[in-house]
Amino acid sequence: MSNVRNTFINCLTELAEKDDRIFLVVADLGFSVIEKYSEKFPDRFLNVGIAEQNAVGVSAGLALSGKIVYYYSIIPFVTMRCFEQIRNDIAYMNTNVRLIGVGAGYSYGPAGNSHHATEDIAIMRAIPGMSVCCPGDIYELQELLRQSVNHSGPIYFRLGKGGEPKLYDSKISSVNIGKISILSDGNKAVLITTSNMLPICKKIVDEYAKSKIKIALISVHTIKPIDSELKTILKKYKFIFTVEEHNIIGGLGSAIAEIIAENFNEHPVFFKRIGIKDFYTHDVGGQEYLRKIASIDMLSIKNTIDEIIKQ
């Protein structure tokens, strides 16, 4: 198991050694994570204090001055508190700012709703010109981060928080911004997932394989722009499931639903979105506890798939 936050800072430090345009901005957090970078590149690091909206404005200004800026914070303090500044300063100006949000879904479970990230994909998808990357394992994060240096325009990165396994490497599937990765093939059914639900979905697919049921597994690590090849790939399957630790409105499920609605006029398919229903939890507890309440834990997801396939 690896720590996604350490992987981010290690990879960014490696990239900054080769490219002096890279600049890191934080808003008074990330301590015990950011030191490797901040100590090595003090002239390309800025802590603006507890002023997240200001951090976005500063990041936009640095980008307009030729820097490639990475603003790092907890997801709600990146995407929600700063929405107006992201819209007007970063996206409208088409700046090379990379918004790095940590704590996908219920990662910060005990901190309560103020720290939960269940609407962020929908928010960022709605912004014109904003790319949305949601890596589900360490390899995906490293590859997308490396490509982000030379990407034109703003990007939002949605990261987990704790120990995320490295599920695959280039021998299985390449990872590129704007493309999907196929981790396993199937026949009648496909499981499409993103971000920190990839490890659970990999376990589910492996469980089915033991009983000779082959379910394909697709990682949509770039939700926007979404891979145009999906409209062809998905026509191979009778059952299509999406799984995400995000509100089912506006996230991965909505993006796949748009593809099906626009391209499957003569191709009948059973499609099911699995995600957080349209509610806020008032329970307090760890990530796994909150996943069970939202019915997006491994057992609940598998039961949903079982019921539909058996019907």
Side-chain angles (χ1 to χ4, degrees), residues 27-308:
D28 211 33
L29 52 67
F31 304 109
S32 79
V33 175
I34 60 174
E35 284 80 4
K36 181 174 183 178
Y37 179 98
S38 62
E39 292 172 3
K40 194 161 191 174
F41 306 107
D43 294 335
R44 287 188 274 152
F45 170 77
L46 181 62
N47 179 358
V48 303
I50 305 174
E52 292 86 355
Q53 292 156 319
N54 187 42
V56 169
V58 168
S59 297
L62 286 165
L64 291 170
S65 300
K67 300 296 183 182
I68 301 169
V69 187
Y70 293 78
Y71 167 43
Y72 173 93
S73 189
I74 300 172
I75 288 175
F77 309 144
V78 171
T79 61
M80 303 172 199
R81 183 169 295 174
C82 312
F83 178 78
E84 182 181 1
Q85 287 72 28
I86 292 171
R87 179 181 183 269
N88 295 341
D89 298 345
I90 290 179
Y92 181 72
M93 302 298 288
N94 195 38
T95 58
N96 289 328
V97 175
R98 287 72 177 100
L99 302 163
I100 312 297
V102 180
Y106 294 128
S107 296
Y108 283 96
N113 186 64
S114 64
H115 285 58
H116 296 170
T118 59
E119 314 97 331
D120 53 307
I121 296 174
I123 292 169
M124 292 294 105
R125 276 187 73 218
I127 299 177
M130 179 69 70
S131 296
V132 178
C133 294
C134 306
D137 89 327
I138 300 304
Y139 176 70
E140 287 185 348
L141 171 58
Q142 291 171 332
E143 291 302 299
L144 295 173
L145 200 61
R146 287 168 184 149
Q147 293 169 34
S148 73
V149 175
N150 295 313
H151 181 86
S152 179
I155 309 175
Y156 168 57
F157 277 86
R158 183 189 213 239
L159 309 185
K161 175 179 175 286
E164 287 80 12
K166 186 175 182 180
L167 299 176
Y168 65 102
D169 56 32
S170 57
K171 294 179 181 178
I172 298 176
S173 179
S174 61
V175 171
N176 292 290
I177 294 176
K179 295 293 181 180
I180 61 164
S181 292
I182 301 175
L183 275 70
S184 62
D185 291 321
N187 39 43
K188 290 185 178 181
V190 58
L191 197 56
I192 307 169
T193 190
T194 190
S195 189
N196 57 337
M197 294 304 284
L198 180 60
I200 286 180
C201 290
K202 179 70 164 58
K203 289 180 181 178
I204 291 172
V205 168
D206 290 344
E207 282 292 315
Y208 276 110
K210 293 176 184 177
S211 58
K212 310 299 182 184
I213 298 174
K214 291 186 66 178
I215 296 182
L217 178 61
I218 293 177
S219 173
V220 185
H221 43 69
T222 308
I223 294 185
K224 183 187 176 188
I226 200 158
D227 194 341
S228 61
E229 294 301 314
L230 273 169
K231 63 186 178 184
T232 300
I233 294 170
L234 295 183
K235 287 182 179 179
K236 294 167 52 180
Y237 305 102
K238 180 178 180 181
F239 300 98
I240 299 174
F241 302 92
T242 60
V243 178
E244 59 193 312
E245 192 168 341
H246 183 277
N247 193 308
I248 60 170
I249 299 173
L252 172 67
S254 292
I256 299 300
E258 291 163 11
I259 292 174
I260 293 173
E262 292 178 351
N263 298 282
F264 281 46
N265 296 330
E266 299 177 2
H267 183 82
V269 65
F270 189 98
F271 172 60
K272 175 68 175 177
R273 295 175 297 163
I274 301 173
I276 300 168
K277 301 300 188 293
D278 193 28
F279 78 101
Y280 288 117
T281 179
H282 292 270
D283 294 271
V284 177
Q287 186 173 23
E288 290 305 317
Y289 173 75
L290 295 177
R291 281 176 172 177
K292 288 179 182 178
I293 290 174
S295 298
I296 56 169
D297 59 297
M298 182 173 172
L299 180 60
S300 297
I301 295 169
K302 192 170 184 301
N303 286 342
T304 298
I305 296 172
D306 280 343
E307 183 179 348
I308 291 169

